């Protein structure tokens, strides 16, 4: 059954977020032949219009307003309520990002319709089924939404984006909105220095635990991540010990990641850590204890000292 589907796209630091392209691929399936419309809110985001089309959107709506320069719940909800009321989509898809989590719940509540969050897959039919991990990734449930309009958020790195095709014809429209009486205004954003690759969207993550021993011990991990074009993550024990920032924490109380490759260095494999990374496509564990639990879920295990193994891997990948 064809259903018009809206994708709420996101840009960050001068780039369209990759999960937005994945959301377009999911929306294509969900639309089942219906139109896929991508909407991007912000200030000076018009340049991103074509790329959303190259990744499969049939039409792109650019919502430019200086009040939407930074995400605020009331500003974005006001703007998107106007888009939704004009477009009348049957389904609305976005990334399961900080913005997507907040926005989807708020909009679904305002419109009194269903929301299924953090999906990793979907099965299409008259009533689509959404698949999402539960119990910290130990099981998957299939959900069906019965409301007329439905919201879906998508866990990054699970549904592959379509091949980028720059020959696709894209219709780009400017959609004017009225945004007023904002209760929140972002005056300034103070950023932490990061390596550039967003942990939640990284295809490769090199993660360190208590076995890394100190902040200095993270340097070889960063070098390996740089060579592989990835990001560095950490266990909570490493964050608690002050070896690295809490923004790197992966697990039940940290970030949930699904990279193509997760390299766990000096991490024992506590259940709370596994909750954040066990759905990674390939897991490599480096640990000097052959009995470490991480080896039970690893695809490849290296029993050894990470300070010997990691530099050798870096050297090897530099040469290939
Ligand atoms: P350890 O368990 O101490 O393991 C260190 C490992 O390093 C050992 O296996 C050791 O053999 C190995 N090692 C040491 N030296 C070397 C070396 N030179 N070379 C190779 N290997 C070496 N944890 C998280 O990670 N994320 C969470 O979100 C999280 N949330 C939690 C929520 C709650 C409510 C609770 C109670 C706990 C949570 N934890 C979380 C903590 C979790 O239970 C573990 O304590 C933590 O994951 C352990 O981190 P670790 O594996 O780095 O340290």
């Amino acid at each position: 059954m064809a259903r018009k589907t809206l994708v709420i796209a996101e840009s960050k630091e001068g780039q369209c977020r990759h999960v937005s392209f994945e959301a377009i691929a999911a929306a294509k399936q969900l639309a089942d032949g219906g139109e896929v419309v991508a909407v991007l809110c912000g200030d000076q985001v018009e340049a991103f219009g074509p790329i959303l089309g190259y990744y499969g959107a049939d039409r792109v709506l650019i919502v430019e307003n200086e009040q939407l320069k930074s995400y605020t719940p009331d500003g974005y909800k006001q703007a998107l309520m106007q888009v939704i009321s004009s477009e009348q989509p049957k389904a609305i898809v976005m990334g399961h990002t900080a913005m997507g989590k907040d926005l989807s719940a708020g909009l679904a509540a305002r419109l009194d319709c269903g929301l299924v969050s953090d999906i990793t897959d979907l099965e299409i039919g008259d009533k689509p089924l959404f698949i999402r991990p539960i119990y910290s990734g130990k099981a998957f449930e299939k959900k069906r939404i019965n409301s007329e309009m439905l919201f879906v958020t998508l866990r990054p790195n699970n549904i592959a984006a379509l091949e980028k095709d720059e020959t696709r014809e894209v219709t780009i429209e400017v959609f004017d909105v009225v945004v007023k009486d904002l209760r929140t205004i972002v005056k300034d954003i103070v950023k932490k220095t990061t390596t550039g690759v967003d942990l939640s969207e990284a295809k490769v993550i090199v993660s360190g635990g208590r076995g890394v021993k100190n902040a200095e011990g993270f340097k070889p991990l960063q070098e390996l991540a740089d060579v592989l074009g990835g990001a560095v993550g950490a266990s909570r024990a490493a964050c608690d010990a002050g070896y690295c920032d809490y923004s790197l924490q992966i697990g039940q109380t940290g970030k949930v990641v699904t990279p193509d490759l997760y390299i766990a260095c000096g991490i024992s494999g506590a259940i709370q850590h596994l909750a954040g990374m066990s759905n990674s496509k390939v897991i490599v564990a480096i640990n000097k204890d052959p009995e470490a639990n991480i080896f039970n879920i690893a695809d490849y295990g290296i029993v050894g000292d990470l300070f010997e193994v990691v530099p050798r891997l870096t050297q090897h990948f530099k040469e290939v």
Side-chain angles (χ1 to χ4, degrees):
M1 186 187 80
R3 49 179 92 69
K4 182 175 183 179
T5 302
L6 188 73
V7 173
I8 300 179
E10 241 181 282
S11 66
K12 194 180 172 194
E13 290 164 6
Q15 285 192 349
C16 230
R17 294 193 72 154
H18 197 267
V19 71
S20 300
F21 308 141
E22 295 164 13
I24 292 173
K28 281 278 197 208
Q29 290 186 51
L30 201 50
D32 210 8
E35 189 184 28
V36 172
V37 183
V39 52
L40 184 63
C41 298
D43 186 28
Q44 298 178 358
V45 288
E46 204 173 344
F48 299 126
I51 198 164
L52 292 165
Y54 300 156
Y55 276 98
D58 301 309
R59 196 152 53 86
V60 179
L61 304 179
I62 298 292
V63 182
E64 292 247 80
N65 189 309
E66 61 174 9
Q67 306 232 53
L68 302 174
K69 185 172 181 180
S70 295
Y71 175 71
T72 59
D74 53 347
Y76 272 54
K77 276 173 210 151
Q78 280 187 38
L80 288 160
M81 285 293 282
Q82 292 164 54
V83 174
I84 293 167
S85 131
S86 155
E87 291 290 325
Q88 293 291 317
K90 290 282 180 213
I92 298 159
V93 185
M94 65 198 94
H96 194 70
T97 58
M99 180 183 110
K101 288 179 217 178
D102 187 53
L103 202 49
S104 56
L107 287 170
R110 277 192 198 184
L111 292 161
D112 196 21
C113 56
L115 158 68
V116 56
S117 64
D118 201 18
I119 69 154
T120 52
D121 206 354
L122 68 166
E123 287 173 12
I124 297 305
D126 262 1
K127 288 268 182 193
L129 280 173
F130 299 98
I131 297 154
R132 62 190 297 277
I134 51 170
Y135 302 125
S136 300
K138 283 198 213 68
F140 287 85
E141 67 173 355
K142 289 185 177 179
K143 276 203 156 175
R144 177 168 284 152
I145 302 275
N146 289 322
S147 58
E148 263 295 294
M149 188 191 283
L150 59 93
F151 281 81
V152 181
T153 69
L154 186 80
R155 186 180 285 196
N157 282 341
N158 280 275
I159 295 178
L162 303 177
E163 201 72 30
K164 184 178 175 189
D165 178 359
E166 297 192 12
T167 63
R168 276 180 65 99
E169 296 250 327
V170 192
T171 307
I172 300 171
E173 294 166 14
V174 172
F175 191 101
D176 289 324
V177 291
V178 179
V179 180
K180 56 181 183 186
D181 304 330
L182 292 186
R183 285 169 294 177
T184 322
I185 294 168
V186 179
K187 295 210 156 173
D188 197 12
I189 297 176
V190 181
K191 282 189 207 145
K192 285 204 169 132
T193 325
T194 56
T195 56
V197 183
D198 186 329
L199 192 55
S200 53
E201 288 189 15
K203 298 278 178 210
V204 177
I205 294 177
V206 182
S207 209
R210 209 193 312 259
V212 167
K213 301 212 169 27
N214 50 42
E216 192 69 12
F218 266 90
K219 280 198 177 148
L221 275 61
Q222 184 67 60
E223 280 164 21
L224 179 56
D226 289 345
V227 169
L228 296 172
V232 168
S235 72
R236 177 157 142 183
C239 300
D240 283 346
Y243 305 167
C244 59
D245 192 84
Y246 278 106
S247 61
L248 303 190
Q249 185 184 321
I250 290 168
Q252 188 180 315
T253 43
K255 292 197 168 76
V256 176
V257 294
T258 332
D260 291 343
L261 174 62
Y262 189 90
I263 307 178
C265 311
I267 293 178
S268 60
I271 189 78
Q272 295 89 353
H273 187 76
L274 304 189
M277 46 63 74
S278 61
N279 290 321
S280 304
K281 293 185 188 77
V282 176
I283 299 171
V284 176
I286 305 167
N287 198 304
K288 63 182 185 186
D289 174 8
E291 301 295 325
N293 189 47
I294 192 81
F295 288 126
N296 291 325
I297 62 144
D299 299 283
Y300 300 94
I302 303 173
V303 178
D305 186 332
L306 71 94
F307 294 105
E308 288 169 20
V309 177
V310 172
R312 281 176 64 184
L313 286 175
T314 307
Q315 192 55 36
H316 174 76
F317 289 119
K318 272 185 184 163
E319 284 164 12
V320 291

